[in-house]
Amino acid sequence: MSMATSVSIGKRPAPVTLTDVASGKVAELLGQEDGDGLALRVAVKPGGCSGYSYEMFFDSEIAGDDIVREFGDVRVVVDPTSAELLAGATLDFSDGLQGAGFHITNPNATRTCGCGSSFS
């Protein structure tokens, strides 16, 4: 009796997906920055009131094991550890009177805090 295992080889899915609105806003912000080659780094760090907190910043340094994806003119960079915690997450931007700014919807978060910037 032999057993076969199928393995899917290819590009890993994006750890975080940008909506069109978020991609447009990030592109606008990148246009205001000095420096070429900047990418949006999305990371998860220990801390915050629920265990982990999100970090987003422009970064010019990309490590060999970083996961890089492009959304239009925007490059998004995620380190492998953060990618595991962000798998399937979506980054959106809203410009309303309440809750204006970037928001991450993360299916891996079992609990979020009231400030919306940390999760567990």
Side-chain angles (χ1 to χ4, degrees):
M1 180 175 178
S2 68
M3 296 180 72
T5 303
S6 81
V7 176
S8 175
I9 298 175
K11 192 173 174 180
R12 290 185 285 185
V16 62
T17 302
L18 270 66
T19 65
D20 290 342
V21 175
S23 180
K25 186 62 176 180
V26 171
E28 177 186 325
L29 294 171
L30 278 169
Q32 297 171 6
E33 292 292 318
D34 291 330
D36 294 329
L38 289 177
L40 174 66
R41 180 169 294 278
V42 181
V44 175
K45 301 290 181 196
C49 47
S50 291
Y52 293 102
S53 62
Y54 299 113
E55 285 189 350
M56 292 188 306
F57 55 93
F58 296 133
D59 197 354
S60 61
E61 296 181 22
I62 300 174
D65 61 348
D66 280 340
I67 299 164
V68 181
R69 296 293 180 268
E70 293 187 12
F71 298 89
D73 294 334
V74 175
R75 281 189 313 151
V76 177
V77 179
V78 180
D79 66 86
T81 303
S82 295
E84 290 180 26
L85 296 167
L86 287 168
T90 302
L91 176 64
D92 195 11
F93 180 81
S94 63
D95 200 11
L97 293 175
Q98 292 189 353
F102 289 99
H103 304 280
I104 294 178
T105 303
N106 188 346
N108 305 303
T110 56
R111 185 171 59 99
T112 58
C113 67
C115 68
S117 64
S118 69
F119 70 99
S120 63

